[in-house]
Amino acid sequence: MKGSISDMMQQAQKMQADMQKAQEELARLEVEGEAAAGLVRVTMTGRHDVRRVSIDDSVFQEEKEVLEDLLAAAVNDAVRKVEARNKEAMSGLASGLNLPPGFKLPF
């Protein structure tokens, strides 16, 4: 019994270290969200910090509301991509733990 608790503790410590490493890597990750077939692009880090915004000159001919909508759409696209990458990375860490269905990480 004592050996299995020790093994579980070691496994938990390894998982915690792996999770921290994955979070650090995801924070450095950059994804690009776009709208209007790439006329508006937003580059965002894994921490949801916007690094760059690129707007094609042709968009400036549109009304202000159109540009605002395209910018919001590009930001939302980038956020969805960051979340998908985060989910993918974290699910890989938890795959070897045999957690019950519906159990979510991080705790």
Side-chain angles (χ1 to χ4, degrees), residues 82-101:
V82 167
E83 293 303 317
R85 291 268 181 99
N86 287 346
K87 184 177 179 180
E88 181 182 308
M90 292 303 153
S91 70
L93 288 175
S95 64
L97 293 179
N98 299 323
L99 296 174

Side-chain angles (χ1 to χ4, degrees), residues 7 11 21 28 34 60 62 83 85:
D7 291 343
Q11 185 179 12
K21 181 180 175 187
R28 289 190 299 270
E34 63 177 49
F60 291 111
E62 300 294 330
E83 293 303 317
R85 291 268 181 99

Side-chain angles (χ1 to χ4, degrees), residues 68-85:
E68 290 170 344
D69 289 345
L70 292 175
L71 185 55
V75 169
N76 290 337
D77 185 45
V79 168
R80 281 189 290 276
K81 288 178 180 178
V82 167
E83 293 303 317
R85 291 268 181 99

Side-chain angles (χ1 to χ4, degrees), residues 33-42 53-56 58-60 62-77:
E34 63 177 49
L39 293 177
V40 177
R41 296 177 186 269
V42 172
V53 175
S54 173
I55 302 171
D56 188 270
S58 65
V59 178
F60 291 111
E62 300 294 330
E63 292 188 24
K64 178 183 175 208
E65 290 80 15
V66 172
L67 176 55
E68 290 170 344
D69 289 345
L70 292 175
L71 185 55
V75 169
N76 290 337
D77 185 45

Side-chain angles (χ1 to χ4, degrees), residues 15 19 97 99 103-107:
M15 188 185 99
M19 188 176 291
L97 293 179
L99 296 174
F103 195 84
K104 296 183 183 199
L105 290 176
F107 304 105

Side-chain angles (χ1 to χ4, degrees), residues 18-28 47 90 106:
D18 290 346
M19 188 176 291
Q20 183 173 358
K21 181 180 175 187
Q23 288 173 338
E24 290 169 0
E25 289 173 7
L26 288 170
R28 289 190 299 270
R47 287 192 173 144
M90 292 303 153

